[in-house]
């Protein structure tokens, strides 16, 4: 039964040779999926499969689990690799959420264009996911829980066992005398999902044996409603989006439509959705703020900001105003916090003069109190005012590289050269992660 469900699930995607990536935790569910894929590949040798085990390092048994996964994959004739990730314990993000995000980030690296990620979630997982969504007060998108097929990286994410129960999977594993690992954390009912698994869902299933199918049906209906809403608002979202993926405040319309557009916009960035309370705050304190305000709302590691009547999703970074680094001509300097690299390059027809003897070349990020005269401007102005004139959002003003000759500001990357340092000897090249800019 399980094999036929797997084969039927994969059939629609296997008209040509396919590359699968199987998420292998080593637990019962993924161990059974590994055996099923071994059978499938034996009967369909034109396809390829890579098993990926993500080593979180949270358990003292993690190294043993990795070795067992490698051995079990070898027995099934499937290549396997181990991806090691590091979690930041004690952060504001839960260990469960961190582990999930890191796991999918590690898996994403192995998905080829058009490839398929296979995970072993089943009907009991779906029931738990819907209950968790209810606990959070989620709307249709959250209550849709897990779909059997969703886009992922440059391919698809399939859950071929989603209609099968945990009992069916366990029965299969025992009948085939499979071994699997038991994660001791799965017994810790301090975690919400474990509490539901051990304390709640067994009672629900005993009382209503068909509750898995009923909940799956409700989740599917919620998914259809959410997909319809996205389809109906697609054109409006495209009209509101800017080339930089910002969102026009003026195009949001009414509060009801505007909140849904904001949710769809945030969905483009693959971030954890804000709660209803947080979404209400985005609308009231960011969207509805006065035109001259600098509003923001933070959650997890991101924040929604407004600038010139557009909304921006900004990653939260620690302050780097005290960071500085000396650099050499023609040698790229790596900048902090994914800001890329910066090079002062000797050239003909540039905009900067060469540093004089004794003028040490350096990069800094603190614009406080600086007053300069850019090339072509009349009189000096404070750097804060110049940033405003050049349209630099407030959250980027302490993340824009400042190039110093000695103790004097010579140029601001991507914006201007200070008149006293203009010349034709050098160019400033800033290769940012988002774009390449020059001045």
């Amino acid at each position: 039964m399980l094999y036929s469900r797997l084969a039927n699930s994969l059939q629609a995607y296997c008209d040509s040779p396919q590359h699968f990536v199987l998420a292998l935790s080593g637990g019962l569910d993924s161990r059974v999926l590994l055996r099923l894929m071994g059978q499938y590949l034996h009967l369909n040798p034109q396809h390829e499969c890579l098993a990926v085990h993500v080593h979180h390092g949270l358990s003292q048994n993690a190294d043993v689990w990795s070795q067992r996964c490698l051995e079990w994959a070898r027995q099934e004739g499937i290549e396997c690799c181990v991806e090691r990730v590091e979690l930041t314990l004690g952060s504001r993000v839960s260990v469960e959420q961190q582990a999930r995000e890191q796991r999918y980030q590690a898996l994403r690296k192995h998905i080829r264009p058009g490839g398929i990620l296979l995970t072993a979630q089943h009907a009991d997982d779906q029931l738990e996911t819907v209950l968790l969504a209810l606990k959070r007060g989620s709307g249709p998108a959250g209550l849709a829980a897990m779909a059997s097929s969703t886009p992922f990286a440059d391919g698809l994410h399939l859950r071929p066992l989603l209609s099968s129960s945990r009992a069916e999977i366990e029965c299969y594993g025992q009948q085939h005398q499979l071994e699997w690992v038991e994660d001791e954390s799965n017994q810790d009912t301090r975690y919400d999902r474990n509490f539901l698994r051990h304390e709640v869902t067994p009672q629900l299933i005993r009382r209503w044996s068909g509750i898995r199918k009923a909940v799956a049906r409700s989740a599917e209906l919620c998914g259809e409603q959410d997909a319809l809403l996205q389809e109906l608002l697609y054109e409006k979202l495209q009209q509101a989006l800017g080339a930089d993926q910002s969102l026009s405040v003026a195009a949001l319309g009414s509060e009801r439509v505007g909140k849904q557009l904001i949710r769809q916009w945030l969905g483009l960035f693959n971030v954890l959705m804000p709660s209803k309370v947080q979404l209400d705050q985005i609308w009231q304190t960011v969207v509805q703020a006065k035109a001259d305000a600098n509003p923001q709302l933070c959650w997890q590691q991101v924040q929604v900001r407004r600038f010139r009547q557009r909304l921006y999703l900004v990653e939260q970074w620690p302050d780097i105003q005290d960071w500085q680094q000396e650099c050499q001509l023609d040698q790229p300097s790596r900048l902090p916090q994914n800001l890329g690299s910066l090079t002062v390059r000797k050239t003909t027809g540039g905009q900067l003069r060469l540093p004089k003897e004794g003028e040490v070349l350096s990069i800094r990020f603190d614009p406080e109190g600086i007053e300069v005269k850019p090339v072509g401007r009349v009189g000096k102005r404070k750097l804060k005012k110049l940033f405003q004139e050049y349209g630099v959002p407030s959250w980027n003003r302490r993340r824009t590289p400042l190039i110093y000759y000695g103790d004097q500001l010579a140029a601001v990357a991507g914006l201007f050269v200070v008149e006293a340092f203009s010349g034709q000897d050098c160019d400033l090249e800033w290769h940012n992660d988002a774009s390449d800019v020059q001045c």
Side-chain angles (χ1 to χ4, degrees), residues 260-294:
Q260 184 60 34
L261 286 171
I262 291 171
R263 285 185 60 85
Q264 293 190 21
W265 171 63
L266 292 173
L268 301 175
F269 301 98
N270 195 33
V271 297
L272 182 70
M273 281 293 168
S275 66
K276 181 182 183 302
V277 171
Q278 290 168 329
L279 188 60
D280 289 343
Q281 290 176 336
I282 291 174
W283 185 263
Q284 294 163 7
T285 65
V286 181
V287 174
Q288 298 293 322
K290 294 181 180 179
D292 59 349
N294 182 26

Side-chain angles (χ1 to χ4, degrees), residues 143-348:
L143 294 172
M146 298 179 290
S148 58
S149 171
T150 53
F152 181 76
D154 292 327
L156 283 176
H157 178 183
L158 297 186
R159 299 178 175 92
L161 304 181
L162 199 56
S163 62
S164 304
S165 69
R166 180 180 286 114
E168 289 178 288
I169 294 171
E170 186 171 358
C171 181
Y172 180 96
Q174 291 172 346
Q175 287 178 348
H176 291 78
Q177 299 182 325
L178 299 180
E179 294 181 326
W180 57 85
V181 302
E182 294 286 356
D183 188 339
E184 63 275 6
S185 69
N186 288 339
Q187 304 301 316
D188 189 346
T189 54
R190 290 177 300 175
Y191 297 118
D192 289 343
R193 187 175 288 273
N194 289 344
F195 172 73
L196 290 174
R197 181 173 302 164
H198 297 294
E199 304 289 341
V200 178
T201 57
Q203 295 189 53
L204 294 176
I205 293 167
R206 280 194 295 269
R207 178 65 182 252
W208 300 294
S209 60
I211 193 170
R212 296 186 194 90
K213 290 183 178 179
V215 167
R217 190 162 58 248
S218 293
E220 185 176 356
L221 290 171
C222 286
E224 290 177 0
Q225 292 294 315
D226 186 60
L228 175 61
L229 191 58
Q230 292 194 42
E231 184 177 330
L232 292 174
L233 290 178
Y234 176 79
E235 290 297 332
K236 192 170 181 63
L237 177 63
Q238 296 306 306
Q239 293 169 5
L241 275 177
D244 58 358
Q245 294 294 86
S246 63
L247 193 68
S248 167
V249 170
L252 294 180
S254 68
E255 180 176 350
R256 181 176 297 174
V257 173
K259 286 180 179 178
Q260 184 60 34
L261 286 171
I262 291 171
R263 285 185 60 85
Q264 293 190 21
W265 171 63
L266 292 173
L268 301 175
F269 301 98
N270 195 33
V271 297
L272 182 70
M273 281 293 168
S275 66
K276 181 182 183 302
V277 171
Q278 290 168 329
L279 188 60
D280 289 343
Q281 290 176 336
I282 291 174
W283 185 263
Q284 294 163 7
T285 65
V286 181
V287 174
Q288 298 293 322
K290 294 181 180 179
D292 59 349
N294 182 26
Q296 60 182 284
L297 183 97
C298 308
W299 78 99
Q300 299 301 328
Q301 303 300 314
V302 295
Q303 53 187 203
V304 170
R305 306 287 297 258
R306 198 186 74 189
F307 180 70
R308 293 186 172 178
Q309 296 305 301
R310 301 195 70 85
L311 299 184
Y312 294 82
L313 185 71
V314 181
E315 189 168 357
Q316 296 186 62
W317 293 102
D319 186 15
I320 54 172
Q321 71 174 43
D322 294 330
W323 187 97
Q324 61 179 282
Q325 178 177 294
E326 292 185 7
C327 52
Q328 303 296 323
L329 289 172
D330 296 324
Q331 294 184 17
S333 295
R334 193 68 196 167
L335 303 176
Q337 299 181 352
N338 293 341
L339 286 172
S341 64
L342 187 144
T343 309
V344 179
R345 194 177 303 282
K346 287 189 290 187
T347 184
T348 55

Side-chain angles (χ1 to χ4, degrees), residues 12-62:
Y13 307 98
C14 295
D15 290 340
S16 58
Q18 183 59 264
H19 183 263
F20 297 99
V21 174
L22 190 155
L24 180 62
S25 69
L28 167 64
D29 310 330
S30 66
R31 177 67 184 94
V32 167
L33 182 57
L34 182 71
R35 166 57 61 90
L36 295 172
M37 276 305 293
Q39 291 179 253
Y40 184 80
L41 294 173
H42 180 72
L43 296 173
N44 301 272
Q46 71 273 27
H47 304 304
E48 298 178 349
C49 183
L50 171 68
V52 178
H53 174 77
V54 180
H55 185 304
H56 297 101
L58 292 173
S59 170
Q60 60 183 2
N61 300 313

